[in-house]
Amino acid sequence: DSGVTQTPKHLITATGQRVTLRCSPRSGDLSVYWYQQSLDQGLQFLIQYYNGEERAKGNILERFSAQQFPDLHSELNLSSLELGDSALYFCASSFRQDWEQYFGPGTRLTVT
Amino acid sequence: GENVEQHPSTLSVQEGDSAVIKCTYSDSASNYFPWYKQELGKRPQLIIDIRSNVGEKKDQRIAVTLNKTAKHFSLHITETQPEDSAVYFCAASRPGTYKYIFGTGTRLKVLA
């Protein structure tokens, strides 16, 4: 157990809908990262927050947005969902930005 | 742009033999190189990492080597066991962004 928690574990929804994925970092970690892993694919970096501020962006679609709250938990919002958005979404956290990242168990999103 | 190439994509070894996975990165400013192990449906787990001021790091049966001049780094697993079977991902990050650029993964199968 890495200490990073993510909810829900599984999510099944229809095209066009909007969902919110939640991540709680390890106690004391200030930085949160979101990654997408499609079936049999690698890990694609989406976005990073550090102590509430957005610090880096990857190939994140405009339909996707995220934020980090004062208690340091983070939410990833996915809207106008398409079939191709079906994937595992991982959150990772680190104490400082240049320290090792620890991954949560992921949220499996299925868009039908 | 930033890119990490990883080879081979699949690797089968007999139990007790060694396994080597190689990665090449494009961004010469990269200075941190973690390796993650991911079992089916599970979260990526950090198994070893190396920073650019070190050429080699070892942890029991696992070692990582880094050649900054050639911009490549390798994971070495000795005395492989069936429980080493998983997908292994290398990654690289640079100061300033701290996001990980992941390789495409290597599916390691250890045959008993």
Side-chain angles (χ1 to χ4, degrees):
Chain A
D1 186 0
S2 65
V4 180
T5 60
Q6 288 186 249
T7 56
K9 282 188 79 171
H10 303 277
L11 199 48
I12 301 174
T13 189
T15 54
Q17 295 298 304
R18 172 190 168 93
V19 297
T20 298
L21 313 184
R22 182 188 169 103
C23 167
S24 292
R26 294 186 317 160
S27 177
D29 282 1
L30 300 176
S31 201
V32 169
Y33 310 78
W34 285 97
Y35 293 89
Q36 180 193 55
Q37 186 174 41
S38 301
L39 192 63
D40 290 332
Q41 295 295 309
L43 290 144
Q44 300 294 321
F45 170 75
L46 295 177
I47 198 164
Q48 179 216 352
Y49 282 83
Y50 179 79
N51 205 19
E53 292 186 11
E54 181 185 306
R55 285 299 178 93
K57 247 181 176 176
N59 297 325
I60 187 167
L61 300 171
E62 284 192 16
R63 302 183 285 108
F64 295 1
S65 65
Q67 54 184 322
Q68 185 179 29
F69 294 87
D71 67 352
L72 300 176
H73 91 271
S74 178
E75 292 181 356
L76 179 67
N77 300 296
L78 315 176
S79 61
S80 303
L81 285 167
E82 302 175 359
L83 296 177
D85 297 327
S86 296
L88 259 173
Y89 290 84
F90 286 104
C91 162
S93 74
S94 65
F95 173 59
R96 279 176 21 180
Q97 295 181 98
D98 58 345
W99 285 29
E100 55 271 21
Q101 296 177 24
Y102 291 91
F103 281 73
T107 293
R108 182 174 294 282
L109 173 67
T110 302
V111 182
T112 62
Chain B
E2 306 150 323
N3 186 48
V4 175
E5 291 188 2
Q6 184 171 346
H7 299 282
S9 57
T10 60
L11 179 60
S12 292
V13 299
Q14 290 291 329
E15 183 178 359
D17 287 351
S18 295
V20 181
I21 303 170
K22 299 182 179 181
C23 289
T24 304
Y25 59 98
S26 62
D27 186 351
S28 56
S30 297
N31 69 341
Y32 177 64
F33 309 91
W35 285 89
Y36 285 82
K37 174 184 179 183
Q38 187 178 27
E39 296 175 7
L40 190 63
K42 301 280 183 68
R43 64 182 176 91
Q45 286 185 276
L46 179 68
I47 57 171
I48 196 166
D49 56 9
I50 192 167
R51 296 189 184 271
S52 59
N53 59 346
V54 174
E56 184 174 357
K57 185 175 177 181
K58 195 172 181 180
D59 183 3
Q60 298 183 342
R61 297 187 296 109
I62 295 172
V64 56
T65 58
L66 172 65
N67 182 329
K68 284 189 296 183
T69 304
K71 291 191 287 186
H72 68 68
F73 56 111
S74 300
L75 177 72
H76 305 254
I77 306 174
T78 58
E79 300 171 27
T80 54
Q81 301 166 5
E83 50 265 38
D84 294 329
S85 297
V87 178
Y88 290 81
F89 290 97
C90 63
S93 76
R94 60 174 293 171
T97 64
Y98 307 108
K99 63 183 182 182
Y100 287 0
I101 305 299
F102 278 92
T104 49
T106 296
R107 186 175 301 277
L108 173 65
K109 191 179 287 188
V110 180
L111 306 170

